[in-house]
């Protein structure tokens, strides 16, 4: 016991998976600051960092939902489609059906919850693999989205505009004129879910289910119920992300957030939530996301094309996976398994 | 049981009947759809998806999957198209070879991640898909590369003795027969099924499941390149998005599972998978011909996958129960991914 307490918080921080990411973050800042003048731009400014955080707030919600689910060993690939679906539903309800904005938001989030419920049923009751079940659900959701986006003349609209000042304010309100409120909301959500996972009985059970499902069952944990909650939570977070996004761009788009489909996933793995569950946390996921978005922003500032960023984001996912694999192997070796 | 009765109870029979029913419905609703043009177009789609199917179905039998198949096909045909544009005087078969070599390389990369490092095939191929399609978009800036080689372009336009069946379809059919023969009658084919169904037992029996799957990944890369070349010849161009927008690899996945290739690896025959892809393409074409809106087509595609996998999962569980095995590890809240070793 004495040995345990002697490992200082500092040492623990260095040993954690998020630490290399922090170093990577610092290196990136130095590198982009040095390279930015070549493109007649400036990287190290408050505006850059606020804009990075602002870019982060939409995928931040995705990462929270995906991260919690992954800790328990599940996965959801329909999240980004759910986000797009939420945006389209809100835009259609407000723009075409003239519903009040709060009704539109409630309907859209309820739909998101329903999709999460169907995912959970497919996985838990029909015993389908989460990976493929959610992938198929993503296609089904897309079909429903296309139906909703079909106007009276039978034409499918790629994007639906709406005009509602309150709704637009949700994603665009800036505290004091410079700090977007969504950043604060995202940080609060990260802290809330971080505490939920690490400090509560429910959070502990999520880790146990992810790490050793058999032991969890023997310990009397209702893993099915937890799985239902996490799948629905994942879709709900997708819905919130979609709400902020649609509020920001003032329209609902069928192709919204298509590029962010794997951002939440990559961030979670980068931050130490490993595949198969049982490890990692919200802090790591946040830093993972920070690294990804800083990288994207930096690439834009030094003038690289979006195509390059696309290629590198795939490479980043692979790198994160390989890194995860190696650290898992090292860990297994250490405990002699 | 007589051979005929066995056949009428098989999955293949069901697929054939379903296809005929769809064709009959189309005949009643839209008799004008039965023309040469539609038939030729259907056959053209079947020829490149058929080739792609062989790679994907074989990989599925070994318990793997490759989400980057479409992206690989796109890159392969872009390499070919660009080389033909740059060096018009060099005979084009050399460049076809280059495209196939790319297939070997990309397949090897997948094999390295999935079997060398032991990552989940499903996830690491998603990463590779993003890398390849990103590179394709980066090089072409999103536009297509026209192919102006008349000989190459006429390959896909060669029809069997005046029928609307192109030779490329015959090629796909022959490939399906060859691969199906390999699975059924050779030692290697048996070892694929065994290593997919029970990797531990396969290892104890002296097989190397990882090596077998690595070979199938490379095989899949090469076949993806071939499918890309067929598409390029049909469309007379190379396109960075031609395959991914059509979702060809997901179609092949659904078809394989419909045809009885198990998602958990270790079961299935290519003939059934080919019938599955005929059913899917006939269905897709019929829906289009009958003028149904786009969302219905997407919905049917998505539901078909869900239904096919539900049936597959149900069958696997029943089989396991018959053998007296526990089924807890199959799916459930855990990943239960094939290929996790």
């Amino acid at each position: 016991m004495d040995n345990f307490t002697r490992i200082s918080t500092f040492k623990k921080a260095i040993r954690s998976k998020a630490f290399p990411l922090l170093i990577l973050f610092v290196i990136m800042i130095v590198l982009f600051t040095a390279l930015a003048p070549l493109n007649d731009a400036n990287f190290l400014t408050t505006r850059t960092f606020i804009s990075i955080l602002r870019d982060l707030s939409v995928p931040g919600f995705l990462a929270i939902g995906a991260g919690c689910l992954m800790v328990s060993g599940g996965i959801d690939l329909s999240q980004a489609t759910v986000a797009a679906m939420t945006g389209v539903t809100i835009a259609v309800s407000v723009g075409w059906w003239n519903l009040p904005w709060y009704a539109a938001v409630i309907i859209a989030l309820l739909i998101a919850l329903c999709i999460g419920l169907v995912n959970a049923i497919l996985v838990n009751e029909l015993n389908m693999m989460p990976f493929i079940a959610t992938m198929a659900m993503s296609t089904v959701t897309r079909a429903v989205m296309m139906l909703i986006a079909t106007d009276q003349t039978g034409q499918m609209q790629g994007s639906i505009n709406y005009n509602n000042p309150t709704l637009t304010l949700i994603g665009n309100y800036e505290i004091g004129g410079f700090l977007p409120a969504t950043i604060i909301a995202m940080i609060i959500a990260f802290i809330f879910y971080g505490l939920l996972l690490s400090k509560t009985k429910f959070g502990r059970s999520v880790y146990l289910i992810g790490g050793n499902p058999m032991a969890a069952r023997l310990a009397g944990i209702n893993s099915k119920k937890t799985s239902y909650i996490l799948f629905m939570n994942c879709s709900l977070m997708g819905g919130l992300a979609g709400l902020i996004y649609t509020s920001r761009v003032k329209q609902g788009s069928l192709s919204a957030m298509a590029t962010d489909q794997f951002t939440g996933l990559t961030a979670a793995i980068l931050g130490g939530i490993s595949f198969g569950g049982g490890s990692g946390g919200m802090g790591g996921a946040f830093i993972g996301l920070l690294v990804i978005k800083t990288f994207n922003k930096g690439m834009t500032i030094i003038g690289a094309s979006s195509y390059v960023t696309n290629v590198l984001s795939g490479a980043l996912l692979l790198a994160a996976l390989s890194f995860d694999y190696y650290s898992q192997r090292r860990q297994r070796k250490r405990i002699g398994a | 049981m007589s051979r005929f009765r066995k056949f009428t109870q098989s999955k293949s029979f069901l697929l054939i009947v379903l296809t005929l029913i769809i064709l009959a419905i189309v005949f009643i609703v839209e008799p004008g759809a039965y023309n040469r043009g539609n038939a030729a177009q259907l056959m053209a789609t079947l020829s490149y998806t058929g080739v792609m199917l062989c790679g994907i179905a074989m990989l599925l039998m070994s318990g793997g999957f490759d989400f980057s198949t479409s992206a690989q096909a796109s890159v392969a045909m872009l390499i070919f198209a660009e080389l033909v544009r740059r060096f018009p005087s060099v005979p084009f078969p050399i460049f076809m070879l280059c495209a196939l070599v790319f297939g070997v390389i990309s397949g090897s990369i997948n094999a390295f991640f999935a079997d060398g490092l032991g990552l989940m095939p499903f996830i690491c191929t998603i990463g590779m898909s993003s890398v390849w399609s990103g590179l394709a978009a980066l090089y072409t800036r999103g536009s297509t590369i026209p192919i102006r080689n008349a000989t190459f372009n006429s390959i896909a336009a060669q029809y069997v003795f005046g029928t609307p069946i192109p030779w490329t379809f015959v090629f796909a059919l022959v490939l399906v027969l060859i691969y199906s023969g390999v699975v059924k009658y050779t030692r290697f084919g048996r070892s694929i099924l065994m290593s997919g169904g029970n990797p531990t037992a396969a290892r104890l029996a002296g097989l190397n499941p990882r090596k077998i799957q690595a070979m199938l990944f490379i095989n899949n890369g090469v076949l993806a390149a071939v499918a890309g070349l067929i598409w390029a010849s049909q469309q007379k161009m190379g396109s960075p998005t031609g395959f991914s927008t059509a979702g060809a690899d997901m179609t092949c996945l659904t078809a394989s599972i419909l045809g009885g290739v198990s998602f958990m690896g270790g079961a299935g025959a290519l003939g059934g998978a080919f019938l599955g892809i005929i059913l899917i393409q006939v269905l897709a074409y019929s829906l289009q011909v009958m003028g149904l809106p786009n969302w219905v087509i997407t919905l049917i595609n998505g539901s078909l996958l869900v239904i096919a996998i539900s049936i597959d999962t149900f069958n696997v569980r029943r089989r396991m129960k018959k053998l007296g095995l526990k089924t807890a590890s199959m799916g459930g809240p855990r990943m239960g991914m094939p290929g996790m070793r």
Side-chain angles (χ1 to χ4, degrees):
Chain A
M1 196 63 209
D2 224 9
N3 244 345
F4 248 46
T5 46
R6 222 175 279 155
I7 299 178
S8 65
T9 332
F10 177 70
K11 253 190 187 161
K12 225 165 148 189
I14 286 185
R15 275 190 197 163
S16 83
K17 256 189 193 170
F19 187 69
L21 280 180
L22 275 178
I23 295 177
L24 189 65
F25 181 61
V26 175
I27 293 174
M28 274 196 312
I29 289 177
V30 173
L31 211 66
F32 285 132
T33 313
L35 288 176
L38 296 179
N39 195 36
D40 285 330
N42 223 338
F43 184 77
L44 208 58
T45 59
T46 328
R47 236 188 64 222
T48 311
F49 284 96
I50 286 190
S51 122
I52 288 173
L53 282 176
R54 191 173 177 275
D55 286 353
L56 224 147
S57 47
V58 171
F61 282 101
L62 294 184
I64 290 172
C68 290
L69 186 59
M70 270 175 63
V71 168
S72 81
I75 193 171
D76 185 358
L77 292 183
S78 66
Q79 213 189 8
T81 317
V82 170
M85 172 86 175
T86 310
V88 169
T89 314
I90 290 176
V92 168
S93 318
V94 174
W96 291 357
W97 305 339
N98 292 321
L99 291 178
W101 67 271
Y102 50 86
V105 169
I106 291 171
I107 291 173
L109 292 182
L110 278 179
I111 291 178
L113 274 178
C114 285
I115 298 168
L117 182 65
V118 175
N119 279 336
I121 290 174
L122 290 180
V123 170
N124 287 297
E125 309 303 335
L126 296 178
N127 258 9
M128 286 164 73
M129 266 176 279
F131 198 96
I132 213 72
T134 54
M135 190 121 197
M137 264 315 282
S138 161
T139 315
V140 172
T141 309
R142 188 157 290 281
V144 178
M145 189 156 79
M146 286 156 92
L147 168 65
I148 294 177
T150 307
D151 61 16
Q152 277 130 346
T153 59
Q155 282 292 315
M156 194 187 78
Q157 305 291 332
S159 60
I160 300 121
N161 296 314
Y162 64 86
N163 192 2
N164 186 308
T166 326
L167 203 53
T168 317
L169 206 60
I170 294 176
N172 291 309
Y173 180 68
E174 295 183 340
I175 300 166
F178 73 99
L179 186 67
T182 45
I183 293 180
I184 306 294
M186 171 204 54
I187 289 172
I188 290 174
F190 261 111
I191 292 172
F192 173 73
Y193 277 93
L195 290 178
L196 185 75
L197 276 185
S198 59
K199 301 284 178 220
T200 66
K201 201 173 147 188
F202 176 77
R204 299 272 164 198
S205 71
V206 173
Y207 278 100
L208 188 54
I209 292 168
N212 192 339
M214 189 69 94
R217 208 168 28 240
L218 293 177
I221 292 169
N222 189 346
S223 56
K224 219 177 211 182
K225 194 175 127 196
T226 314
S227 170
Y228 269 92
I229 294 174
L230 291 174
F231 266 108
M232 287 168 79
N233 177 57
C234 187
S235 287
L236 183 65
M237 288 294 135
L240 286 180
L243 166 67
I244 296 173
Y245 184 86
T246 200
S247 156
R248 250 185 217 168
V249 298
K250 300 186 185 74
Q251 63 173 20
S253 161
L254 285 183
S255 56
M257 310 190 56
T259 51
D260 269 330
Q261 196 176 7
F262 300 114
T263 313
L265 201 77
T266 314
I269 304 168
L270 265 180
I273 300 179
S274 68
F275 261 111
S279 71
M282 286 293 113
F286 179 78
I287 297 172
L289 206 53
L290 193 64
V291 165
I292 295 174
K293 286 296 163 184
T294 310
F295 177 74
N296 284 354
K297 191 83 204 170
M299 292 302 271
T300 321
I301 286 180
I302 64 171
S305 84
S306 63
Y307 295 125
V308 179
T309 320
N310 267 353
V311 177
L312 289 171
S313 68
L316 204 62
L317 176 63
L318 282 171
L321 279 171
S322 310
F323 185 67
D324 179 40
Y325 162 75
Y326 272 111
S327 53
Q328 256 187 18
R329 205 175 60 165
R330 214 177 43 191
Q331 199 181 6
R332 261 198 308 248
K333 235 178 222 162
R334 205 162 50 204
I335 57 174
Chain B
M1 213 191 301
S2 76
R3 241 191 136 113
F4 177 72
R5 258 191 76 190
K6 213 167 160 186
F7 176 66
T8 55
Q9 287 177 355
S10 71
K11 247 182 195 169
S12 306
F13 181 73
L14 185 71
L15 290 174
I16 293 173
V17 170
L18 280 176
T19 312
L20 290 177
I21 289 174
I22 295 168
L23 286 172
I25 292 174
V26 175
F27 187 72
I28 295 165
V29 178
E30 198 81 46
Y34 276 81
N35 57 40
R36 207 191 146 88
N38 273 340
Q41 214 175 346
L42 182 64
M43 290 291 175
T45 317
L46 278 176
S47 32
Y48 67 82
T49 38
V51 171
M52 199 177 246
L53 177 80
C54 291
I56 287 182
M58 297 287 279
L59 202 48
L60 267 181
M61 286 176 202
S62 78
F65 185 63
D66 187 355
F67 271 109
S68 64
T69 314
S70 290
Q72 288 176 55
S74 303
V75 175
M77 72 172 150
L78 282 173
I79 288 174
F80 175 79
E82 181 62 19
L83 285 172
V84 168
R85 184 168 72 173
R86 284 265 172 95
F87 312 102
S89 55
V90 182
F92 71 86
I94 295 176
F95 300 141
M96 288 172 88
L97 208 63
C98 292
L100 297 188
V101 169
F102 164 77
V104 173
I105 294 171
S106 62
S108 311
I109 295 175
N110 282 334
F112 166 74
F113 281 119
D115 298 308
L117 291 185
L119 304 179
M120 255 177 293
F122 293 77
I123 309 287
C124 61
T125 52
I126 279 185
M128 280 317 290
S129 159
S130 148
V131 169
W132 289 130
S133 54
L135 280 177
L138 175 65
Y139 188 79
T140 59
R141 303 275 147 180
S143 60
T144 56
I145 302 175
I147 297 173
R148 294 191 210 293
N149 187 314
T151 326
F152 176 75
N153 287 342
S154 68
I155 291 177
Q158 301 291 328
Y159 292 98
V160 183
F161 315 123
T163 55
I165 303 169
W167 278 108
T168 46
F169 177 77
V170 177
F171 173 71
L173 202 62
V174 169
L175 266 189
V176 169
L177 288 177
I178 291 175
Y179 277 99
S180 140
V182 167
V183 174
K184 266 196 185 142
Y185 303 113
T186 70
R187 218 181 133 131
F188 179 67
R190 291 280 157 199
S191 58
I192 293 174
L193 290 176
M194 186 168 182
S195 64
N198 193 338
T200 317
R203 210 166 28 237
L204 292 177
L207 296 170
N208 186 345
R210 284 193 175 193
K211 198 171 135 193
I212 290 169
Q213 201 179 66
M215 282 164 80
L216 293 176
F217 263 114
I218 296 170
N219 173 54
N220 187 52
V222 174
L223 288 182
V226 174
L229 288 174
I230 294 176
W231 194 90
S233 168
Q234 286 167 359
Q235 307 288 329
K236 303 177 179 49
M237 63 179 182
S239 153
T241 52
F243 269 90
S244 16
T245 43
D249 42 11
M250 287 311 275
T251 311
C252 289
L253 173 69
T254 314
S256 305
I257 298 169
L258 272 181
V261 177
S262 175
F263 197 59
M264 322 287 183
L270 266 166
F274 194 61
L275 289 174
I277 210 152
I278 291 177
L279 170 66
I280 292 176
Q281 300 295 9
V282 165
L283 182 66
Y285 255 84
S286 310
L287 294 173
Q288 244 173 45
V289 165
M290 290 194 286
L292 289 171
N294 243 336
W295 68 268
V296 179
I297 300 172
T298 314
L299 182 68
I300 288 178
N301 276 338
S303 330
L304 209 60
L305 186 57
V306 176
I307 293 167
I309 294 169
S310 307
I311 295 172
D312 177 44
T313 317
F314 179 73
N315 278 339
V316 171
R317 275 167 84 187
R318 206 177 47 183
R319 207 171 57 205
M320 304 271 281
K321 212 175 244 171
K322 226 195 280 181
L323 294 170
L325 293 169
K326 278 232 169 92
T327 52
S329 62
M330 291 304 305
R334 293 283 298 170
M335 306 279 298
M337 301 297 284
M340 265 195 108
R341 294 187 279 264

